[in-house]
């Protein structure tokens, strides 16, 4: 470390701060790019997202066929159907996931893997970054494709060798899943729970999703409109805090439920401090075997919170 100086008008020099040698710091461009990537991580790792996103129907999905003028069943029936779907989806315990995500030109991803949720969220995902300005940064870190693990209440994302060179040789970022800060986690039950709190929740038609007949439900959740009294108040408060922690001011949710009462597709459109996050995820092979992967070696892991504070 050495002191930076500048020459004053009387010819003397004055100290203006300290400078760390290049080997021990990230350059100015990397500093703000790194901070931008890190600050978006809570959004991208939970998701409503999180890594699971986009908005329109994907290949193999047919549009809703019920006429627009057809009214939704009474709210009580809609809520009963959604509660049943949430219970049956949870009971399945696991599923194979395929998903895409896009955040306002900043980053987009494609994700595949098998997730389990019967005893906490667990499983492994393969994530490929496909576009956006943040993807350029991740490529510099050698992390345009990564492995993600959910283990014992934590989320681990593997970065590349270039990232490790800046973090003392550590390749993995660890996130506390409880602070992972999206409105709904990547398990399908999260979207169902959120939709049940939407004041405008409704049945929105029928559709064929990848060859499966489904019923579609939709609704919008805003933190300011969540109930503060009544039986749902406690659950609503927890959701409100998670939405605010992620900077989400509005969450539009659609889910497609098959005849067995399981969630086979969901889309979410979140207004966030970082932009609009659009998401689509598909679920299939319910009850699929989840391959257990251990948590990475702590010596090869850096904590997300420590990394953020160090980048500021």
């Amino acid at each position: 470390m050495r002191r930076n100086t500048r020459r004053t008008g009387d010819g003397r020099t004055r100290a203006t701060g300290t400078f760390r040698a290049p080997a021990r710091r990230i350059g100015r461009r990397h500093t703000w790019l790194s901070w931008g990537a890190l600050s978006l991580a809570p959004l991208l790792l939970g998701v409503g997202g999180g890594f699971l996103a986009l908005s329109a129907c994907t290949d193999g999905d047919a549009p809703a066929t019920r006429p627009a003028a057809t009214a939704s069943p009474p709210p009580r029936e809609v809520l009963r159907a959604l509660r049943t779907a949430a219970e049956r989806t949870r009971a399945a315990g696991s599923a194979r996931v395929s998903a895409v995500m896009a955040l306002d030109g900043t980053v987009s991803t494609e994700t595949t893997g098998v997730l389990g949720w019967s005893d906490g969220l667990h499983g492994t995902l393969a994530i490929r970054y496909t576009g956006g300005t943040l993807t350029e940064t991740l490529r510099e870190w050698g992390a345009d494709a990564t492995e993600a693990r959910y283990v014992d209440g934590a989320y681990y994302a593997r970065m590349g060798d270039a990232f490790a060179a800046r973090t003392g040789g550590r390749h993995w970022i660890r996130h506390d899943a409880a602070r992972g800060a999206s409105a709904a986690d990547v398990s399908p039950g999260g979207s169902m729970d959120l939709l049940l709190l939407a004041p405008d929740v409704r049945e929105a038609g029928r559709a064929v999703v990848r060859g499966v007949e489904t019923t579609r439900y939709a609704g919008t959740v805003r933190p300011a409109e969540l109930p503060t009294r009544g039986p749902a108040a406690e659950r609503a408060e927890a959701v409100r805090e998670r939405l605010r922690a992620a900077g989400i001011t509005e969450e539009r949710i659609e889910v497609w439920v098959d005849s067995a009462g399981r969630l086979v597709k969901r889309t979410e459109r979140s207004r966030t401090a970082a932009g609009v996050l659009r998401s689509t995820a598909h679920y299939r092979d319910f009850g699929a075997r989840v391959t257990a992967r251990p948590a990475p070696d702590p010596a090869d892991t850096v904590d997300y919170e420590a990394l953020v504070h160090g980048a500021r």
Side-chain angles (χ1 to χ4, degrees):
M1 181 186 297
R2 71 170 185 269
R3 291 192 176 278
N4 286 338
T5 61
R6 66 179 176 83
R7 189 172 296 279
T8 62
D10 58 7
R12 292 180 295 179
T13 59
R14 177 174 298 170
T16 59
T18 58
F19 171 79
R20 293 187 180 274
R24 298 183 62 190
R25 70 177 179 91
I26 299 175
R28 177 179 298 177
R29 179 167 179 268
H30 285 295
T31 297
W32 74 261
L33 284 173
S34 301
W35 170 241
L38 292 170
S39 65
L40 290 175
L43 284 174
L44 302 180
L45 298 178
V47 215
F51 285 110
L52 310 181
L54 212 158
S55 61
C57 290
T58 56
D59 291 345
D61 295 353
T65 55
R66 175 177 289 185
T70 301
S72 171
R76 184 172 297 179
E77 292 184 20
V78 171
L79 292 174
R80 184 184 301 117
L82 284 173
R83 290 191 186 103
T84 298
E87 291 171 1
R88 291 181 178 177
T89 301
R90 282 195 180 92
S94 65
R96 193 170 300 279
V97 179
S98 61
V100 285
M101 179 279 290
L103 176 61
D104 270 358
T106 302
V107 64
S108 58
T109 67
E110 295 178 353
T111 301
T112 58
V114 179
L115 287 177
W117 50 84
S118 58
D119 185 20
L121 197 60
H122 56 283
T124 303
L125 301 175
I127 301 166
R128 186 169 68 90
Y129 295 87
T130 56
T133 54
L134 179 56
T135 298
E136 298 174 8
T137 304
L138 294 168
R139 284 173 179 160
E140 291 180 11
W141 288 352
D144 54 331
T146 187
E147 176 185 327
R149 298 181 191 176
Y150 290 87
V151 185
D152 296 332
Y155 171 95
Y156 298 87
R158 194 183 195 287
M159 309 302 285
D161 290 339
F163 174 84
R166 300 186 179 98
T167 56
R170 302 185 181 204
H171 293 82
W172 293 83
I173 301 178
R174 180 190 184 279
H175 299 256
D176 186 336
R179 298 196 307 264
S182 179
D185 62 33
V186 292
S187 64
S191 293
M192 306 292 280
D193 290 342
L194 194 60
L195 187 55
L196 283 165
L197 289 172
D200 63 341
V201 63
R202 62 200 180 278
E203 184 180 313
R206 311 278 181 184
V208 176
V209 176
R210 296 185 173 180
V212 177
E213 292 282 349
T214 67
T215 302
R216 173 174 161 243
Y217 299 90
T220 301
V221 173
R222 300 179 182 89
E225 297 177 359
L226 290 172
T228 57
R229 297 180 180 179
E234 184 175 349
R235 185 159 53 94
E237 179 60 25
V239 169
R240 181 164 36 245
E241 288 305 311
R242 294 177 70 186
L243 286 166
R244 287 176 175 169
I248 295 174
T249 58
E250 179 181 273
E251 184 97 359
R252 297 183 183 178
I253 309 152
E254 292 180 286
V255 300
W256 285 256
V257 177
D258 67 12
S259 59
R262 300 170 304 191
L263 175 66
V264 296
K265 177 185 174 183
R266 77 176 192 190
T267 67
E268 297 183 26
R269 184 179 185 276
S270 308
R271 291 189 177 276
T272 79
V276 177
L277 179 68
R278 297 174 175 86
S279 65
T280 294
H282 288 83
Y283 303 90
R284 64 183 178 86
D285 294 346
F286 287 94
R289 182 172 180 271
V290 181
T291 301
R293 301 294 301 274
D297 186 340
D300 196 24
T301 304
V302 59
D303 189 76
Y304 167 74
E305 293 292 330
L307 200 59
V308 166
H309 292 310
R312 284 176 174 169

